[in-house]
Amino acid sequence: MAESVDAAALRERLVAILKQRGHIRSAPVEQAFRTVPREQFLPGVDLETVYARRQVVTKRDPNGAALSSASSPSLVADMLEQLAPRPGDHVLEIGAATGINAALLAELTSPGGTVTTIELDQDLADGARAGLDRAGYHTVEVICGDGAFGHPESAPYDRIHVTAGAWDISAAWWDQLAEHGRIVVPLRVHESGLTRCFAFDRTGLHHLVSTTTPLVCGFVPLRGAAGHTDQHVRLDADVVLKLDAADKPDRAALASILSHPRYELWTGIQVTDDDAIGHLDLWLLVNASAPFGRLRAGDTARTTGLVTPAYRWAGAAIYHGGTIAYLAFHDTVDGHLELGAIAYGPDAGELATQLTDLLGQWDGAGRPNQPTVTADRAGTRPAQTGDISRPDTVLTISF
């Protein structure tokens, strides 16, 4: 009984924090979070961790990489607000994981709705089923299968909710989304792993339009037929440049860039942690003429000062040949952060100038943070400059 009381108290505390920080914005999502007992889906995990605002990894591959997890409640709430499921909706979830999200969806679509959730691995599907049964959500349908193919037997779906990092909006999801339906999907818009969670409304047979500000997020990649591997070049034991193979990078030249002197160039542009500038990296991807990449630096590389990318934007950078320039922060006397570029390579000065010029354009344009994103089914319209092409979908992103 004491543990039950503690769980209820922790649940209330979590809801209060999520509301205060703007992750829960609607009464239905609030009520769902108050109702679903997260502890029933994470057996063996201590209650404080169950109700903490962080990811809980539940399965790893032999190398230690996460294969499945319970996402941070903050992100779960944000995505449910994007999805906005209604009572009576028919919902398909791609990625059952622990089953927590399916339970929340069951609450949000009651009465009259249905929830079908798909998980690739049998052990994970069995775990989700067990958790849903323990918590009393017996009507949720749990399927063991490849989420890229959806579940045509129960289609069409008013809402499709993807809870893994996707490279594409698969043909099956296009086929199974209802007329005027909505799909929420964390899309990797660049092979470096740059990901945004978009809420797309269907406005035509072959056309989707993003309806809300996308979420900055990171997800365990979708596996199975739709799996796609990130590309990278190792620059040091603790430093990797993630990039897009389509840009035909000179991998040998990039691998030796840290042997060049460090070059710094600062802009005078000041920002704070509270500024709404989370999509600067996406803006750079859209507007830079040089190839885009992301610099992943481990703790050792940062503490020794080998590379010091800004802690926002996941190491956003541009590169050319054997030169790279990445976004950096510099403390100012008044407690703000100055934006700048740090570059390495034979053309460091030129590329740093190119990056700081881009920052000046971004600042001069009012620091745009609301992208316009559309998706068209592949092959249904002529190609356009700036298209992001996938096997089943063509994306356009503009600011």
Side-chain angles (χ1 to χ4, degrees):
M1 178 63 71
E3 183 171 298
S4 176
V5 172
D6 288 345
L10 290 169
R11 201 173 305 128
E12 288 297 318
R13 185 183 72 178
L14 176 62
V15 169
I17 294 172
L18 295 178
K19 285 183 64 179
Q20 178 186 17
R21 303 200 175 186
H23 300 291
I24 289 179
R25 301 182 294 279
S26 68
V29 172
E30 178 180 348
Q31 185 57 39
F33 267 81
R34 288 188 189 280
T35 305
V36 173
R38 292 175 60 86
E39 68 277 7
Q40 298 296 335
F41 300 87
L42 292 166
V45 179
D46 68 275
L47 286 175
E48 285 287 348
T49 299
V50 166
Y51 284 99
R53 290 187 307 111
R54 64 172 181 265
Q55 176 192 39
V56 179
V57 176
T58 55
K59 183 176 181 178
R60 296 183 183 274
D61 70 12
N63 297 318
L67 292 177
S68 186
S69 68
S71 296
S72 163
S74 303
L75 181 56
V76 171
D78 284 333
M79 290 180 69
L80 289 174
E81 294 286 5
Q82 280 188 312
L83 190 69
R86 304 153 300 186
D89 273 352
H90 193 25
V91 178
L92 173 66
E93 180 188 35
I94 309 299
T98 62
I100 291 174
N101 208 63
L104 291 162
L105 289 168
E107 290 288 342
L108 289 162
T109 56
S110 179
T114 63
V115 177
T116 301
T117 184
I118 302 178
E119 183 53 64
L120 183 65
D121 296 341
Q122 188 66 60
D123 60 329
L124 293 174
D126 291 343
R129 176 74 274 163
L132 287 160
D133 286 342
R134 281 193 299 269
Y137 296 97
H138 306 293
T139 62
V140 173
E141 183 179 22
V142 181
I143 305 292
C144 181
D146 191 329
F149 302 117
H151 189 60
E153 292 83 352
S154 301
Y157 301 96
D158 303 295
R159 297 287 190 266
I160 296 178
H161 194 200
V162 184
T163 61
W167 180 244
D168 198 357
I169 299 173
S170 75
W173 302 344
W174 279 99
D175 291 340
Q176 294 170 32
L177 183 64
E179 185 179 2
H180 306 302
R182 176 176 294 182
I183 178 170
V184 167
V185 53
L187 272 177
R188 292 155 66 208
V189 298
H190 189 261
E191 207 168 28
S192 66
L194 179 67
T195 301
R196 290 295 185 272
C197 188
F198 299 104
F200 287 110
D201 280 346
R202 184 164 223 158
T203 59
L205 182 61
H206 303 304
H207 190 66
L208 303 169
V209 177
S210 179
T211 56
T212 62
T213 302
L215 299 174
V216 178
C217 61
F219 271 87
V220 174
L222 197 69
R223 295 179 291 138
H228 190 88
T229 303
D230 291 347
Q231 298 291 313
H232 69 269
V233 173
R234 185 162 294 281
L235 311 184
D236 181 79
D238 204 31
V239 184
V240 164
L241 177 63
K242 304 178 77 174
L243 37 69
D244 196 313
D247 291 325
K248 297 180 173 56
D250 185 338
R251 294 173 181 269
L254 287 169
S256 63
I257 61 169
L258 294 183
S259 64
H260 293 267
R262 175 186 179 111
Y263 181 88
E264 300 185 15
L265 187 62
W266 300 95
T267 62
I269 300 170
Q270 295 191 11
V271 299
T272 71
D273 286 339
D274 296 328
D275 291 347
I277 51 176
H279 296 303
L280 171 55
D281 51 354
L282 190 61
W283 187 92
L284 285 174
L285 172 66
V286 171
N287 288 280
S289 58
F292 177 88
R294 298 194 307 151
L295 195 68
R296 189 181 69 193
D299 292 340
T300 300
R302 287 179 177 274
T303 55
T304 60
L306 179 62
V307 291
T308 53
Y311 50 77
R312 297 182 76 167
W313 311 301
I318 57 173
Y319 66 92
H320 178 72
T323 303
I324 181 175
Y326 62 81
L327 288 179
F329 281 150
H330 179 82
D331 290 329
T332 66
V333 293
D334 58 359
H336 289 76
L337 297 163
E338 182 181 2
L339 274 175
I342 294 177
Y344 294 86
D347 300 314
E350 179 183 337
L351 200 63
T353 298
Q354 187 173 333
L355 181 53
T356 54
D357 284 348
L358 282 164
L359 292 172
Q361 294 171 29
W362 168 79
D363 187 54
R367 306 182 179 189
N369 202 50
Q370 176 58 66
T372 299
V373 186
T374 62
D376 292 280
R377 194 154 187 176
T380 62
R381 67 161 174 79
Q384 300 173 2
T385 302
D387 281 350
I388 298 173
S389 296
R390 301 286 185 259
D392 296 323
T393 307
V394 176
L395 296 168
T396 59
I397 303 174
S398 60
F399 284 82

